[in-house]
Amino acid sequence: MESEPISSPSAFQHLMQAPEDPIIGVTTAFSKDPSPVKLNVGVGAYRCEEGKPYVPQVVREAELRLLNDLSRNKEYLPITGNPQFTGLSAKLIFGEDSPALNQKRVCTVQCLSGTGSIRVGAEFLAKHYAHKTVYIPIPTWGNHPTIFTVAGLEVKSYTYYDSNTRGLDYEGLLRDLNAAPSGVVVLLHACAHNPTGVDPTADQWKGIQKLIRGKNMLPFFDCAYQGFASGNLIKDAFSVRLFAGDGGECFVAQSYAKNMGLYGERVGALSMVCGSESVAKRVESQVKLIIRPLYSTPPIHGAAVAATVLGDRELFNEWKADLQGMADRIIHMRQLLHEALKARGTPGDWSHIIKQIGMFSFTGLTKEQVAFITDKFHIYITFDGRVSMAGLSVKTVPYLAEAIHIAVTTVLE
Ligand SMILES: Cc1ncc(COP(=O)(O)O)c(C=O)c1O
């Protein structure tokens, strides 16, 4: 006789099975699929032409240098992280000649990648900022509303994307932010907006800046793709430098997950641009009180790798070339997918695929079309129709194009 599985009373009996994260869940489903033709364009991670995860050569080189440096040890970092890393990160995003940096008005702390940086910033705002509401764009990265809510802020939204033009709804954005109360926090994607791939133009950024500063709002930049949008680190920092250079205050969360390929190393920084040097010092003392009970001090390895790359001219130049290569490959995938759909005569205007920038294309595929493509072709896409262009290759573009063509022509919108 088979024995019953052991089951003892549990204090957690009442728990319901929680839903899988919508983005991570796509990768879980992909991993379980035994099909040899399966393709994952749901996850926001860069893949090389062979479809494999990519570790930049400069990261390997930096790791070798660190490994061979026997003077290194495993002591705790300060609560604010590796000072070389935070200094170089601030220079990377604000620029070498940034007035805010020269005036020592910026407090930068090392955090756990982009997510951790946003979370620490959100916790700080919930505790110390007069306004407890943050406005986030619609749509936005799925984790944003949760991060701010659990930190204790109320989350409201502003119009961002126009599904008719598949571009920015600039009028809608200005209208909604104009109608929002003065002083609130406004979350902005520094570049390569996720999931739409649609960014404001330089003039539009200036209009947004005028409105935000006019209403004394606090801009909070999420910068997860510096160098990925255009291939150029300076160009992709335009929006942040515009705001950081006008004398006002702002928060910036940086991630090195994508641009340095350090995803799982969790390397990021939170910068708080303050009104004066003395405020920045007090802000730093207070942010330490937020970090200490959360995770005490950040991890050593990834930040040391990033600091080695950022602080060595030769490695830095090599990294810049690599970034350009990654951005160019993504742009090439956009062109190929666009051409492949046009060649098939797929109904609809697909020009947004080449107009949008960054890692993702917000294709406009419906939930039903995405489900059809996954079911019939084993191609994994997030339900909102967001395709990671970085997950494609010359070999896989025709397969995706064929799947989209059949989905669009056979599945009702
Ligand atoms: C817009 C945006 N912000 C932040 C992140 C955070 O990434 P990480 O925590 O891995 O740095 C991501 C990752 O996909 C993102 O797309």
Side-chain angles (χ1 to χ4, degrees):
M1 218 173 91
E2 257 181 52
S3 60
E4 289 270 307
I6 296 166
S7 165
S8 50
S10 169
F12 308 107
Q13 201 62 43
H14 59 288
L15 289 187
M16 307 281 286
Q17 183 70 32
E20 180 99 68
D21 178 271
I23 299 176
I24 310 260
V26 172
T27 299
T28 310
F30 170 80
S31 313
K32 288 185 187 154
D33 187 338
S35 167
V37 295
K38 68 180 177 176
L39 176 64
N40 187 0
V41 283
V43 61
Y46 184 85
R47 298 281 178 262
C48 64
E49 233 338 276
E50 289 73 46
K52 302 241 166 64
Y54 179 68
V55 182
Q57 195 49 41
V58 282
V59 168
R60 300 265 191 231
E61 173 62 32
E63 286 186 317
L64 276 177
R65 287 191 195 180
L66 293 171
L67 188 68
N68 289 326
D69 179 358
L70 297 181
S71 70
R72 289 180 55 76
N73 58 50
K74 302 290 183 190
E75 292 287 294
Y76 291 124
L77 282 175
I79 297 174
T80 50
N82 174 333
Q84 195 199 357
F85 166 76
T86 49
L88 291 165
S89 291
K91 280 193 184 149
L92 183 74
I93 187 64
F94 298 116
E96 297 270 347
D97 52 358
S98 154
L101 286 182
N102 288 336
Q103 293 153 7
K104 301 190 169 55
R105 292 193 288 115
V106 186
C107 157
T108 304
V109 291
Q110 179 190 335
C111 296
L112 306 185
S113 212
T115 307
S117 305
I118 302 169
R119 177 67 186 268
V120 169
E123 296 275 344
F124 182 90
L125 292 171
K127 198 157 180 206
H128 299 297
Y129 189 55
H131 304 269
K132 307 294 180 204
T133 309
V134 57
Y135 278 68
I136 61 173
I138 292 188
T140 192
W141 180 49
N143 216 5
H144 279 150
T146 327
I147 295 173
F148 286 106
T149 305
V150 295
L153 294 175
E154 185 188 7
V155 174
K156 292 201 169 161
S157 57
Y158 64 88
T159 300
Y160 188 83
Y161 180 70
D162 182 343
S163 53
N164 292 318
T165 61
R166 292 190 177 145
L168 181 70
D169 184 351
Y170 184 55
E171 298 308 317
L173 180 153
L174 294 183
R175 182 195 60 229
D176 289 356
L177 289 185
N178 241 324
S182 296
V184 294
V185 183
V186 180
L187 179 82
L188 300 159
H189 294 228
C191 64
H193 181 274
N194 177 6
T196 66
V198 173
D199 285 351
T201 62
D203 279 345
Q204 287 169 338
W205 271 121
K206 287 177 189 159
I208 296 167
Q209 177 195 27
K210 194 163 164 227
L211 192 163
I212 286 184
R213 291 309 191 200
K215 294 198 73 170
N216 216 8
M217 292 163 158
L218 184 73
F220 192 142
F221 284 95
D222 179 0
C223 186
Y225 298 95
Q226 189 182 1
F228 243 74
S230 66
N232 183 305
L233 288 160
I234 297 173
K235 220 168 150 184
D236 291 353
F238 173 82
S239 60
V240 172
R241 293 185 186 184
L242 185 68
F243 280 77
D246 69 6
E249 302 189 308
C250 64
F251 279 23
V252 184
Q254 283 169 274
S255 165
Y256 288 93
K258 326 278 164 159
N259 58 9
M260 225 177 255
L262 291 172
Y263 307 92
E265 295 287 359
R266 314 309 290 145
V267 190
L270 170 71
S271 284
M272 292 162 283
V273 179
C274 304
S276 68
E277 182 180 355
S278 78
V279 173
K281 279 205 175 115
R282 279 174 279 148
V283 162
E284 179 174 309
S285 70
Q286 290 291 339
V287 85
K288 282 160 73 174
L289 299 186
I290 306 243
I291 293 170
R292 177 72 169 142
L294 267 181
Y295 52 87
S296 191
T297 65
I300 301 172
H301 182 71
V305 171
T308 305
V309 173
L310 296 174
D312 181 281
R313 187 176 291 277
E314 200 186 318
L315 290 184
F316 186 72
N317 285 337
E318 204 184 310
W319 178 50
K320 281 200 297 188
D322 208 18
L323 264 174
Q324 187 69 59
M326 289 194 272
D328 286 349
R329 199 185 84 72
I330 293 173
I331 292 165
H332 185 47
M333 290 306 117
R334 290 185 180 282
Q335 287 159 347
L336 290 184
L337 182 61
H338 181 242
E339 280 163 22
L341 290 168
K342 265 179 52 187
R344 282 166 175 77
T346 309
D349 173 11
W350 298 93
S351 61
H352 55 284
I353 291 181
I354 40 179
K355 285 187 203 142
Q356 295 167 349
I357 55 169
M359 202 168 214
F360 302 108
S361 181
F362 208 45
T363 56
L365 289 169
T366 63
K367 236 191 205 159
E368 291 73 22
Q369 289 165 341
V370 168
F372 175 85
I373 288 174
T374 304
D375 185 43
K376 297 276 180 281
F377 293 87
H378 308 272
I379 299 175
Y380 290 78
I381 302 173
T382 51
F383 72 90
D384 56 0
R386 185 194 80 166
V387 168
S388 172
M389 304 309 291
L392 287 174
S393 67
V394 172
K395 253 197 290 186
T396 54
V397 163
Y399 186 56
L400 175 64
E402 188 62 18
I404 293 178
H405 181 79
I406 295 177
V408 169
T409 48
T410 57
V411 181
L412 289 178
E413 283 194 14

